[in-house]
Amino acid sequence: LMISFGIAGALAFSGAAALSTLVFETPAHANLVRLSSASFVLQSFILVPLAFARVQERSALVVGATLVKLLIALILNLVFLVVMKLGVRGVFLSTLGANLIVALWLGWSTIRQVGVRIRLDILRSLVRYGVPLIGVQAATFTMTFSDRYFLQAAGGQTVVGLYNLAYQFGFLLLMLGFVPMEMIWGPRRFQVARGPHAQPLLSKAFRIVNVSVTSIGVGIALFVEDLLRIMATPPFYPAAAVVPVILVAYVFHGWAMMHDIGVLVKERTEFLTIANWVAATVALGAFALLVPRYHAFGAAVGAVLAFSVRWGMTYYFSQRLWPVRYDWLPVFKVLSIGVVTIAIGIALPGMPLRASIPLHLLLLGAYAVGVWNAAILTADEKQWAARHVRRVLDTRRSGTTIDASRASP
């Protein structure tokens, strides 16, 4: 990774002026591209130690390193932006500084544990396995970000800004719903795949993740407009209408993350490259066709089409190589309840926040009751959830009692 990231970073660094012209239509930001390329190279010193920590199930280190990096970046932002008045350059310098410190820490600690030596047989296997995934990343980037160029041409920066704001909620669903699962389940599922209970465990994981992700998505879709009305100005409110469509796209994105297990177990990663580039082609065609007419909504629909095609092809290839019997009925149930809940929320007339927020809370409660009673979760899972809720409530009550007793004369 150090070699490959170094080559990519060097190419970006040397071509900074051309990249700046391509992205910003001016070479004036070449120095920002150079700073970004240096930060990118340092990522190779972070990715491997974090992957190693995940394999060792050291979740505290993974979370701790992320928080330390965030804290360092925040402190450096204050120094560069507030004290030194460096503007946007200060943000890039903050990222570079945080990556450098965390890279030195994690990289050195990992090298101390595992040493440095090269096994050519393992290297060849990794290259054979990993090279097709480079194409996957390039295609994913095309699907995720090329719509901004079409939006810029069709509607200008205002439309791009609205769409970017809406898209952040898709990233939020990904970060809250799928990424935490992927950080632990990603390595663990290969152990599960080698065990005697692979089929039911993989199916159960898919069902549970869909309950979690759909619940988060329903919450985002119901409250996004309220949140924008609290945190943003009226020109940004229309972004809320695009969010539910983007959430659908990221559900398909998450499904592809879970259903590629057969391709990965059989180490036929070239099929992922095929699926992703077909989807990227669909994305470019959909953006070219829909964005000029429908702007942000057209871009969101194009994302749904592309991500669903990628999932469909990934699922097909994976099932052909290493079939898994997924139990789809509970998944369709939770999705149906979620879609109905969101549709009711969208159909409600506009109202003040003091009425909108309580009503959306009622809708969210109704969704939870529907999921609880729709034979989606097993009895053991319901008991576990009930115990967890009681434990949280008991902790809060005991904390309130202690605080009250300390406040007494």
Side-chain angles (χ1 to χ4, degrees):
L1 281 183
M2 288 168 56
I3 294 171
S4 60
F5 274 55
I7 292 172
L11 291 173
F13 192 93
S14 61
L19 289 172
S20 175
T21 302
L22 176 65
V23 176
F24 303 108
E25 298 181 353
T26 173
H29 301 303
N31 284 335
L32 300 183
V33 177
R34 294 187 182 100
L35 289 173
S36 182
S37 64
S39 295
F40 171 78
V41 172
L42 291 171
Q43 286 291 330
S44 62
F45 293 85
I46 298 174
L47 290 174
V48 173
L50 289 182
F52 187 41
R54 287 166 55 194
V55 170
Q56 295 177 309
E57 298 187 8
R58 299 173 64 188
S59 56
L61 177 60
V62 175
V63 175
T66 304
L67 292 177
V68 167
K69 182 180 174 183
L70 180 63
L71 180 61
I72 294 171
L74 179 61
I75 293 172
L76 292 178
N77 268 322
L78 292 174
V79 173
F80 291 137
L81 294 176
V82 178
V83 179
M84 301 180 66
K85 311 290 186 183
L86 293 181
V88 67
R89 185 165 173 261
V91 177
F92 281 79
L93 285 170
S94 301
T95 303
L96 178 61
N99 282 348
L100 177 61
I101 294 171
V102 175
L104 290 174
W105 163 40
L106 293 178
W108 175 247
S109 64
T110 303
I111 288 173
R112 286 181 61 189
Q113 292 182 68
V114 303
V116 178
R117 64 192 181 101
I118 295 177
R119 285 273 304 276
L120 292 179
D121 55 336
I122 295 177
L123 178 61
R124 283 192 293 268
S125 297
L126 284 174
V127 169
R128 184 178 65 251
Y129 186 86
V131 165
L133 298 179
I134 298 174
V136 170
Q137 294 302 316
T140 300
F141 182 87
T142 301
M143 281 185 283
T144 305
F145 296 109
S146 63
D147 47 9
R148 275 68 164 182
Y149 295 98
F150 290 94
L151 287 167
Q152 176 72 28
Q157 292 185 358
T158 301
V159 175
V160 174
L162 283 174
Y163 185 71
N164 273 333
L165 177 60
Y167 216 91
Q168 297 309 309
F169 292 96
F171 285 141
L172 183 63
L173 178 64
L174 184 67
M175 296 304 296
L176 294 179
F178 286 109
V179 170
M181 171 277 304
E182 177 65 17
M183 294 181 71
I184 300 300
W185 180 246
R188 176 61 69 83
R189 61 181 177 158
F190 292 100
Q191 294 176 318
V192 169
R194 290 193 294 267
H197 306 295
Q199 296 283 338
L201 287 176
L202 290 169
S203 180
K204 177 180 179 179
F206 181 60
R207 174 174 55 83
I208 294 296
V209 167
N210 271 279
V211 173
S212 173
V213 168
T214 305
S215 302
I216 295 170
V218 169
I220 292 173
L222 288 178
F223 291 98
V224 60
E225 186 173 359
D226 297 332
L227 185 63
L228 291 178
R229 288 164 68 183
I230 293 171
M231 300 182 63
T233 55
F236 290 98
Y237 295 170
V242 186
V243 170
V245 184
I246 296 174
L247 294 177
V248 172
Y250 270 90
V251 168
F252 284 117
H253 179 79
W255 284 7
M257 290 170 59
M258 298 199 72
H259 287 155
D260 61 1
I261 180 65
V263 175
L264 298 180
V265 164
K266 292 297 185 179
E267 299 189 6
R268 299 294 302 276
T269 48
E270 66 273 15
F271 287 112
L272 295 182
T273 304
I274 295 171
N276 276 267
W277 273 110
V278 170
T281 304
V282 170
L284 292 173
F287 295 151
L289 182 65
L290 298 175
V291 169
R293 178 175 296 184
Y294 301 108
H295 289 185
F297 190 80
V301 171
V304 171
L305 293 174
F307 286 176
S308 62
V309 167
R310 175 175 63 177
W311 164 73
M313 294 189 66
T314 300
Y315 184 80
Y316 172 78
F317 289 138
S318 192
Q319 291 292 90
R320 289 291 300 271
L321 291 168
W322 195 75
V324 177
R325 293 184 300 275
Y326 294 102
D327 186 4
W328 281 97
L329 182 58
V331 175
F332 288 143
K333 284 182 179 179
V334 70
L335 288 174
S336 299
I337 297 171
V339 168
V340 170
T341 304
I342 294 171
I344 294 173
I346 293 173
L348 292 174
M351 61 189 74
L353 280 173
R354 63 179 180 272
S356 176
I357 293 176
L359 189 54
H360 288 151
L361 284 172
L362 286 175
L363 278 175
L364 187 61
Y367 161 82
V369 171
V371 171
W372 189 265
N373 292 285
I376 296 169
L377 299 172
T378 65
D380 290 341
E381 290 161 357
K382 290 182 179 181
Q383 289 176 5
W384 177 89
R387 285 197 304 269
H388 184 73
V389 171
R390 283 196 298 269
R391 190 180 303 118
V392 172
L393 293 176
D394 290 342
T395 302
R396 290 187 175 181
R397 288 195 197 101
S398 62
T400 304
T401 304
I402 292 173
D403 291 341
S405 64
R406 287 176 178 172
S408 300

